[in-house]
Amino acid sequence: MSRFEESAPARGGFSYDLCKRNEMLMQKGLKPSSYLKTGTTIVGLVFQDGVILGADTRATEGPIVADKNCEKIHYMAPNIYCCGAGTAADTEAVTDMVSSQLKLHRFHTGRESRVVTALTLLKSHLFSYQGHVSAALVLGGVDVTGPHLHTIYPHGSTDTLPFATMGSGSLAAMAIFESKYREGLTRDEGVKLVAEAICSGIFNDLGSGSNVDVCVITKGKREYLRNYMLPNPRTYVSEKGYSFSKKTEVLLTKITPLRELVEVIEGGDAMEE
Amino acid sequence: MDSIYNDLNAPHSMGTTIIGVTYDGGVVLGADSRTSTGMYVANRASDKITQLTDNVYICRSGSAADSQVLSDYVRYYLHQHTIQLGQPATVKVAANLVRMVSYNNKNMLQTGLIVGGWDKYEGGKIYGIPLGGTLLEQPFTIGGSGSSYLYGFFDQVWKEGMTQDEAEKLVVKAVSLAIARDGASGGVVRTVTINKDGVSRKFFPGNTLPLWHEELEAKDSLLDGLSAASPEPMVS
């Protein structure tokens, strides 16, 4: 029988060599830089034909809004999307990483990815970092086995639920879900409920704000509704306008158009000598 | 306000009440369904009784992440073991695998477990594996934060050789008692009964559980005297 020793993390993982140095620097007065967090309200629910994910779009850096319109619903596979709350870098990195792993796995198996695959990849990564990778995720998708919705916590535990909320605005959003969710919602009812829950987070939680993103995933189809609702429009625009003072010297006025997309045509002939 | 946010980032733990009892012919495992993150209930309908093999199940308590990953590892080892052995794994082997992982990683894990199942050699067996990784075979065992309120109850009510029905009723009553008293336990009561005929899962929603004394309507209460009309003042 194999030895059961699992020292976490055995291969790779964090190296704590610089911790003493950091402590010394902090004592000398160096303030650690604050990282970009997504205060966030993220939600997901299972409806009649699949799953609907929702998220707000505010990214905060301490008390400041760093990004008023960031994307928190990340692509994992054509049939699987993942909302991320917590440290923005961690959610981006971990969802990108698992998305690549899923793509390789799809090449390997020749099949559509399953939600439980993404779930296991994410949970084992997060568990091995013992909660230091601060990513709280709502993973949803539809595969051959049906629609699935899971929540994944930074320490690596997962829950499978018919409706879920995460992030600082999760309590506000959960209040909406608990009162209005029922099984077998139609697509329109589901989207409306998700938007309502996110709005509840946007208006009642300081860490969430700006717009509502929604993603509807059904068998064989996904609709990514970026900025589905814009409940916080900019109402005041200064009449004076924004321009440089007349004394400013204009050096160069040049407009460089963006390059056009290049089409890659597949199935060409193989190169021959 | 800060403390609420800190709580939401607290590790996902299952306050929990978990129970395993043997009866004449098998075992009954029971658990509540509350998973908390600090003071917030993250999942009010979680399933803490996880399958390891067709005939062995495990009740999880403590850190949700640690217990989930441990169960996944043991399920994998048991699967290999079953293939190599050529027949279903025994409950004793399953419990020992859980104990090995728990003991060898005792510094990093924080999870108390109850392994229960039925095999053809020993019949129904319950093994308790608390925090440090001890393995104890017992006729019944309780675990989790809610178990503190059940020691006296079990001392009074437990008897050997119960029927399946008696055992199930005992487990449901015990879990609902713990739910009434322990803040970290709540939700629904889930039970899993394992015997030679297989496995049967039952689910008892909150409103079907018996109410305990402070939850009942006051009947013949001395407080009724307060609402009665005040007595006539004495006239000399």
Side-chain angles (χ1 to χ4, degrees):
Chain A
M1 208 141 65
S2 52
R3 290 192 68 214
F4 297 113
E5 252 182 40
E6 281 104 32
S7 46
R11 291 153 286 281
F14 283 119
S15 152
Y16 294 100
D17 298 337
L18 290 172
C19 284
K20 271 204 168 157
R21 177 209 86 152
N22 290 342
E23 247 181 67
M24 185 265 295
L25 285 172
M26 292 230 279
Q27 271 171 3
K28 292 210 168 156
L30 175 74
K31 286 190 206 52
S33 52
S34 67
Y35 39 80
L36 185 65
K37 284 193 83 125
T38 49
T40 306
T41 309
I42 49 174
V43 305
L45 62 72
V46 176
F47 73 110
Q48 224 174 332
D49 309 316
V51 304
I52 307 177
L53 300 173
D56 74 307
T57 61
R58 173 181 288 184
T60 53
E61 203 170 297
I64 299 167
V65 176
D67 189 346
K68 289 183 279 190
N69 204 188
C70 72
E71 279 185 33
K72 300 187 191 178
I73 307 185
H74 308 282
Y75 167 87
M76 298 282 270
N79 58 323
I80 306 172
Y81 275 75
C82 187
C83 306
T87 307
D90 287 340
T91 57
E92 278 285 342
V94 87
T95 47
D96 275 351
M97 185 194 78
V98 173
S99 173
S100 314
Q101 289 179 341
L102 283 177
K103 178 129 204 195
L104 285 170
H105 193 251
R106 275 203 292 288
F107 281 131
H108 226 79
T109 58
R111 289 176 167 83
E112 192 186 59
S113 294
R114 299 193 188 189
V115 184
V116 287
T117 315
L119 182 72
T120 311
L121 289 168
L122 285 164
K123 86 159 20 190
S124 23
H125 180 82
L126 291 174
F127 181 77
S128 65
Y129 283 90
Q130 290 287 297
H132 291 288
V133 174
S134 175
L137 311 163
V138 171
L139 175 74
V142 180
D143 55 34
V144 285
T145 43
H148 297 277
L149 181 70
H150 302 283
T151 53
I152 308 161
Y153 289 82
H155 286 261
S157 58
T158 60
D159 281 317
T160 308
L161 296 162
F163 57 91
T165 67
M166 295 277 263
S168 56
S170 61
L171 271 69
M174 187 52 98
I176 299 292
F177 273 170
E178 283 286 20
S179 48
K180 298 193 178 173
Y181 179 83
R182 50 186 173 79
E183 275 185 54
L185 290 163
T186 64
R187 181 198 177 281
D188 291 331
E189 289 173 332
V191 170
K192 187 158 160 281
L193 185 58
V194 161
E196 218 181 312
I198 298 290
C199 282
S200 170
I202 286 172
F203 295 122
N204 299 108
D205 173 44
L206 297 181
S208 314
S210 299
N211 317 121
V212 181
D213 285 349
V214 174
C215 184
V216 184
I217 311 171
T218 50
K219 190 166 150 68
K221 183 168 89 135
R222 95 275 193 163
E223 293 168 72
Y224 185 73
L225 305 166
R226 168 79 170 144
N227 287 359
Y228 171 75
M229 249 173 89
L230 295 109
N232 293 302
R234 190 175 192 176
T235 42
Y236 172 73
V237 180
S238 160
E239 287 162 3
K240 283 191 265 190
Y242 300 95
S243 60
F244 296 106
S245 68
K246 292 195 173 57
K247 283 183 281 185
T248 317
E249 203 183 308
V250 176
L251 291 175
L252 181 68
T253 311
K254 181 177 175 194
I255 298 172
T256 313
L258 293 171
R259 248 185 295 175
E260 283 171 21
L261 268 178
V262 178
E263 280 270 325
V264 176
I265 305 162
E266 294 192 37
D269 291 322
M271 291 212 301
E272 282 183 297
E273 285 282 292
Chain B
M1 189 156 80
D2 239 56
S3 61
I4 308 177
Y5 292 145
N6 280 339
D7 270 335
L8 284 173
N9 295 326
H12 217 24
S13 91
M14 302 178 295
T16 305
T17 308
I18 48 174
I19 300 179
V21 312
T22 56
Y23 69 90
D24 184 22
V27 299
V28 180
L29 298 172
D32 73 309
S33 71
R34 178 171 288 187
T35 311
S36 43
T37 320
M39 284 290 118
Y40 178 63
V41 176
N43 187 351
R44 60 177 166 87
S46 41
D47 185 8
K48 303 184 188 177
I49 312 178
T50 314
Q51 186 184 26
L52 292 180
T53 69
D54 287 338
N55 54 320
V56 179
Y57 278 66
I58 186 171
C59 297
R60 305 177 288 109
S61 78
S63 159
D66 290 348
S67 64
Q68 283 181 9
V69 172
L70 189 153
S71 316
D72 286 344
Y73 269 111
V74 173
R75 194 180 308 121
Y76 164 66
Y77 294 139
L78 273 175
H79 189 214
Q80 286 190 322
H81 171 74
T82 308
I83 291 170
Q84 289 166 353
L85 194 67
Q87 58 183 13
T90 56
V91 190
K92 185 187 275 198
V93 167
N96 269 289
L97 282 169
V98 174
R99 184 257 308 197
M100 295 283 269
V101 179
S102 191
Y103 179 77
N104 287 329
N105 295 288
K106 61 155 74 196
N107 292 325
M108 269 122 21
L109 295 175
Q110 196 182 64
T111 165
L113 306 148
I114 299 178
V115 177
W118 184 95
D119 60 52
K120 67 180 187 205
Y121 300 105
E122 307 247 352
K125 283 285 183 216
I126 292 284
Y127 292 84
I129 302 147
L131 241 46
T134 326
L135 176 67
L136 263 182
E137 198 261 296
Q138 296 160 309
F140 72 91
T141 190
I142 53 184
S145 59
S147 65
S148 322
Y149 308 99
L150 297 175
Y151 284 102
F153 174 73
F154 269 90
D155 283 343
Q156 190 73 4
V157 173
W158 167 260
K159 55 181 204 277
E160 283 278 347
M162 290 186 285
T163 65
Q164 176 173 331
D165 214 45
E166 285 178 325
E168 281 180 2
K169 283 203 168 62
L170 169 63
V171 166
V172 174
K173 193 167 186 179
V175 178
S176 58
L177 270 170
I179 287 173
R181 289 292 182 181
D182 178 33
S185 303
V188 305
V189 179
R190 295 190 195 272
T191 64
V192 172
T193 309
I194 314 171
N195 50 32
K196 67 171 173 17
D197 300 320
V199 175
S200 117
R201 267 188 176 279
K202 290 212 176 76
F203 164 83
F204 301 87
N207 57 356
T208 59
L209 301 175
L211 293 174
W212 299 107
H213 78 279
E214 76 274 359
E215 297 163 324
L216 295 165
E217 288 290 320
K219 203 172 70 155
D220 298 334
S221 164
L222 290 172
L223 293 170
D224 288 339
L226 285 175
S227 51
S230 47
E232 294 285 349
M234 288 214 311
V235 183
S236 52

